[in-house]
Amino acid sequence: MFEASLEWLLNTAGKDPNAAFGGSVPFLMLTGNLAAAWQLGRSILAASAKLEQGEDTGFMTRKIATAVFYAQHILVECGAENLRITEGSASLGDAALNL
Amino acid sequence: MTYQAPIRDIMFNIEHLPPTPEAGAAGGGIELEDVGAALEALGRFCSDIVAPLSRVGDEAGARLDGTEAVLPEAYTQAYAQFAEMGWQSLPHPEEFGGMGLPRAAAAAATEILNASDLSFGLCPLLTDGAVEALLLTGSDAQKQKYLERMISGQWSGTMNLTEPQAGSDLGRVRCKAEPAADGTYAVSGTKIFITYGEHGLTENIIHLVLARTPNAPAGPKGLSLFIVPKFLVEEDGTLGRRNAVTCVSLEHKLGVRASPTAVLEYDGATGFLVGEENRGLEYMFVMMRAARFAVGVQGVAVSERACQHALQYAQERVQSRPVDGSTKDAAPIIRHPDVQRMLLRMRALTEGGRALAIATAGWLDLAKQGYTDAEDMAEFLVPLVKAFCTERSLEVTSLGVQVHGGMGFIEETGVAQFYRDARILPIYEGTTAIQANDLLGRKVLRDGGATARRFAGMVQETEQALQGGQCSGAGRGKAAGRGVPDV
Ligand SMILES: Cc1cc2nc3c(=O)[nH]c(=O)nc-3n(C[C@H](O)[C@H](O)[C@H](O)COP(=O)(O)OP(=O)(O)OC[C@H]3O[C@@H](n4cnc5c(N)ncnc54)[C@H](O)[C@@H]3O)c2cc1C
């Protein structure tokens, strides 16, 4: 999803900057979402290793559960942002605002 | 209820999320336990002294008495203790009296302080930014003159960019700086929305001001940066004459009401050029990178505070029988699936934001050590921390109100204030749109997507590790087996 948006933006920005920058906030929110998920993914790896060693199991279990919730409930929003960026640019702009 | 610093989660993040051990606590030659002990002590101070300020400050606000900004008395006392305990010095170099903790630890300290009260936290936050700018761009003499007392918290710092006609577009700044025969400059003009632009918490205020010299080119390339102290500092370090900068009004605001937001009139105030003429915006970006990162951390902070309140309320408030029929009577609302959904969303967004911020702090430290790859990655991540964590803090604090039902809308509960306070975060230090333009224009398009692809590659490595079973038991079962989506 990130890569699809990225390639679309790289291909579009030169010829149609308004279309590309109309997607700039959705792209930031997509990327921020993914970056946070990435770090929570690294947290799962670290917490799993600690669990294996039997260290602070209550905290580690909760940490993993929260990260999995993030992936299933928040990371999925990247799909909608990608659609806004790559399919939504035509309906952005002057026409609908009556300018 | 009072605030409890989430030390366990913070320490987990500091231990595991900076990109390399050198970028975490290890890099500064500092033991993880020492970082933990410092943050715990800060946490106690914040729970006891700072957190109780927030209601008082919200109700009384900062007010103008003549040309002096007056904060509630409790703020003055709390600030004096804050400085006395040396908390301002935490992230700054030992050379100027700082503790020299790595940035991941400093980010955690910023979070704890701002979770306690955003209005209070703003004063140290701006001082940190001004210190950073002077460290990187000030002359040796300027560093000697100002840094030690800013780092000790004795003096505070501000950043003066905004003018009525110049907000997002700093190229429109009009403030003037006329060179004088003695090498100083006379700074004149109006600055608006200056956070802690006037207050009595510290004996001096060091304003960093963007202004234009007489023959400067138009637009952003004609701005220079000046130090304009509220009280001029004599050669022997004592405070001299009051400078010609006056607070003419304070704003009435939706949130962060105890933080004085000043309109400042400069009337030929004595200013000292930082670095070279016409390079002011470039220097200010140094301060802004630190400040933008810190504002993102404020988003995590207010989210954490909202989480703690919501969780406690959901355990106490009894309403409705559970749908699974597990009890005959009404149960605490935390038993209802939708309340759990809200609490988990709040918790996950907060922990996700914290993880992103602390990892980014590690990249910033690597960048400071001179790794150019890390510099590019830090530049890519900072607008994400600023905009993503602050936009999401609006959602988290709004959910916090929702968990409380009607009581959430009543000021007495305190959670409405978090929602109002959070609303400034996606606006100041560059709006979300400005962060997004920066990300797309300067961090993605400019290098043809190279850094963005490198970022995607690192995300993919983590995904592969998760799927390849480098995590055990619960981790693997849940993360890889049960449909963590591919993005
Ligand atoms: C409480 C508070 C504290 C503050 N503290 C300080 C301080 O200490 N020092 C200081 O110098 N300033 C401070 N500010 C000012 C703050 O940084 C500005 O308000 C902010 O940068 C936005 O500028 P503006 O208000 O002029 O809005 P505008 O720039 O007029 O923006 C209006 C809208 O247009 C959008 N917009 C503008 N340009 C673009 C663009 N190129 N692309 C897309 N959208 C765009 C914005 O995103 C926004 O939605 C503070 C403001 C407040 C309210």
Side-chain angles (χ1 to χ4, degrees):
Chain A
M1 243 80 68
F2 173 76
E3 270 121 330
S5 286
L6 175 65
E7 295 311 321
W8 188 89
L9 290 166
L10 288 168
N11 287 327
T12 308
K15 44 185 194 262
D16 190 352
N18 284 332
F21 279 82
S24 66
V25 169
F27 180 65
L28 184 146
M29 295 305 283
L30 189 172
T31 312
N33 191 337
L34 178 61
W38 170 35
Q39 295 309 322
L40 289 177
R42 295 181 67 218
S43 303
I44 292 179
L45 295 172
S48 304
K50 294 277 182 192
L51 262 188
E52 206 126 275
Q53 297 156 18
E55 199 179 303
D56 207 350
T57 53
F59 173 82
M60 299 304 163
T61 308
R62 197 186 60 76
K63 184 86 221 167
I64 292 169
T66 310
V68 172
F69 177 91
Y70 188 103
Q72 295 183 345
H73 289 256
I74 295 163
L75 184 60
V76 291
E77 292 164 19
C78 290
E81 301 290 15
N82 179 51
L83 285 175
R84 289 191 179 105
I85 296 162
T86 57
E87 309 278 334
S89 67
S91 56
L92 265 169
D94 299 348
L97 282 170
N98 244 338
L99 296 180
Chain B
M1 70 169 284
T2 190
Y3 161 76
Q4 291 290 332
I7 300 290
R8 185 70 193 85
D9 195 51
I10 284 173
M11 291 311 294
F12 177 88
N13 280 269
I14 294 178
E15 186 178 350
H16 298 292
L17 299 186
T20 67
E22 301 83 68
I30 291 162
E31 298 290 332
L32 213 51
E33 275 133 63
D34 295 338
V35 172
L39 292 176
E40 256 167 45
L42 176 65
R44 278 193 299 277
F45 169 73
C46 286
S47 299
D48 295 347
I49 306 292
V50 184
L53 297 178
S54 66
R55 281 284 290 155
V56 181
D58 187 52
E59 276 171 2
R63 50 181 191 83
L64 196 64
D65 183 3
T67 57
E68 316 231 312
V70 181
L71 272 67
E73 178 54 27
Y75 276 74
T76 311
Q77 287 166 13
Y79 186 86
Q81 267 178 283
F82 169 84
E84 171 70 32
M85 292 172 86
W87 294 122
Q88 185 74 52
S89 75
L90 203 118
H92 301 299
E94 282 155 295
E95 186 191 349
F96 298 101
M99 295 187 209
L101 289 196
R103 210 177 277 259
T110 301
E111 182 195 319
I112 293 169
L113 191 61
N114 282 279
S116 310
D117 183 26
L118 284 178
S119 284
F120 184 86
L122 274 164
C123 183
L125 187 151
L126 281 152
T127 304
D128 282 343
V131 166
E132 185 98 1
L134 289 177
L135 273 171
L136 287 161
T137 58
S139 67
D140 284 342
Q142 287 168 341
K143 290 180 195 169
Q144 292 308 330
K145 200 163 195 173
Y146 300 106
L147 281 180
E148 215 161 290
R149 276 178 284 182
M150 294 175 79
I151 287 172
S152 72
Q154 218 176 330
W155 298 348
S156 70
T158 69
M159 63 197 274
N160 285 240
L161 289 67
T162 308
E163 298 178 13
Q165 77 294 344
S168 298
D169 183 359
L170 294 170
R172 297 163 70 90
V173 159
R174 280 191 206 136
C175 261
K176 285 186 318 212
E178 295 272 353
D182 63 358
T184 67
Y185 290 75
V187 177
S188 301
T190 304
K191 292 287 180 185
I192 64 166
F193 295 161
I194 305 309
T195 299
Y196 277 91
E198 163 55 29
H199 64 88
L201 301 185
T202 57
E203 61 195 42
N204 203 2
I205 303 174
I206 310 304
H207 302 291
L208 292 186
V209 184
L210 277 186
R212 234 173 248 292
T213 49
N215 300 315
K221 295 209 154 66
L223 295 171
S224 303
L225 182 63
F226 298 90
I227 300 170
V228 184
K230 176 177 169 184
F231 289 99
L232 292 167
V233 181
E234 305 290 348
E235 285 315 314
D236 63 1
T238 56
L239 294 187
R241 148 175 92 73
R242 177 76 164 82
N243 211 345
V245 45
T246 312
C247 174
V248 293
S249 75
L250 293 181
E251 306 295 348
H252 296 274
K253 307 194 295 294
L254 178 67
V256 293
R257 300 187 59 236
S259 161
T261 306
V263 177
L264 295 180
E265 242 353 289
Y266 289 83
D267 187 12
T270 304
F272 306 91
L273 180 70
V274 178
E276 294 167 29
E277 283 188 12
N278 300 331
R279 293 184 63 188
L281 199 58
E282 188 188 316
Y283 303 151
M284 203 49 125
F285 266 106
V286 170
M287 178 165 181
M288 284 198 287
R289 183 161 92 175
R292 285 176 171 178
F293 174 78
V295 171
V297 172
Q298 286 189 306
V300 177
V302 73
S303 297
E304 172 66 34
R305 187 82 188 271
C307 280
Q308 293 191 10
H309 275 253
L311 183 62
Q312 169 146 348
Y313 189 78
Q315 286 165 324
E316 289 166 358
R317 172 71 175 167
V318 173
Q319 204 74 186
S320 308
R321 278 174 58 186
V323 282
D324 64 6
S326 54
T327 60
K328 272 217 204 74
D329 295 327
I333 57 171
I334 197 165
R335 299 286 303 279
H336 302 308
D338 190 64
V339 174
Q340 293 181 356
R341 178 191 65 83
M342 289 195 283
L343 292 170
L344 281 167
R345 253 191 111 75
M346 294 174 74
R347 174 60 55 214
L349 284 167
T350 305
E351 288 189 15
R354 178 179 297 127
L356 173 58
I358 292 196
T360 301
W363 286 102
L364 283 163
D365 273 348
L366 281 186
K368 203 155 125 193
Q369 291 160 27
Y371 297 94
T372 33
D373 278 9
E375 175 71 27
D376 292 342
M377 197 51 63
E379 283 285 327
F380 181 84
L381 294 172
V382 167
L384 304 181
V385 174
K386 161 63 169 87
F388 179 75
C389 295
T390 63
E391 288 284 346
R392 290 300 197 163
S393 78
L394 303 184
E395 183 182 345
V396 173
T397 53
S398 175
L399 282 169
V401 171
Q402 194 69 16
V403 168
H404 283 74
M407 281 311 286
F409 199 69
I410 307 300
E411 291 290 355
E412 191 188 300
T413 325
V415 297
Q417 184 191 344
F418 306 146
Y419 179 56
R420 288 185 291 101
D421 280 356
R423 196 62 192 85
I424 186 57
L425 304 178
I427 297 173
Y428 62 22
E429 282 307 328
T431 63
T432 299
I434 295 305
Q435 307 303 319
N437 288 351
D438 177 53
L439 176 72
L440 182 56
R442 297 180 57 223
K443 319 288 167 70
V444 170
L445 296 176
R446 193 174 282 178
D447 69 3
T451 305
R453 290 197 185 101
R454 196 153 68 84
F455 162 79
M458 290 190 294
V459 176
Q460 216 164 34
E461 274 173 35
T462 301
E463 265 178 82
Q464 279 161 3
L466 284 166
Q467 278 153 8
Q470 282 181 34
C471 59
S472 71
R476 183 172 51 227
K478 285 188 178 160
R482 281 208 263 129
V484 169
D486 236 2
V487 175

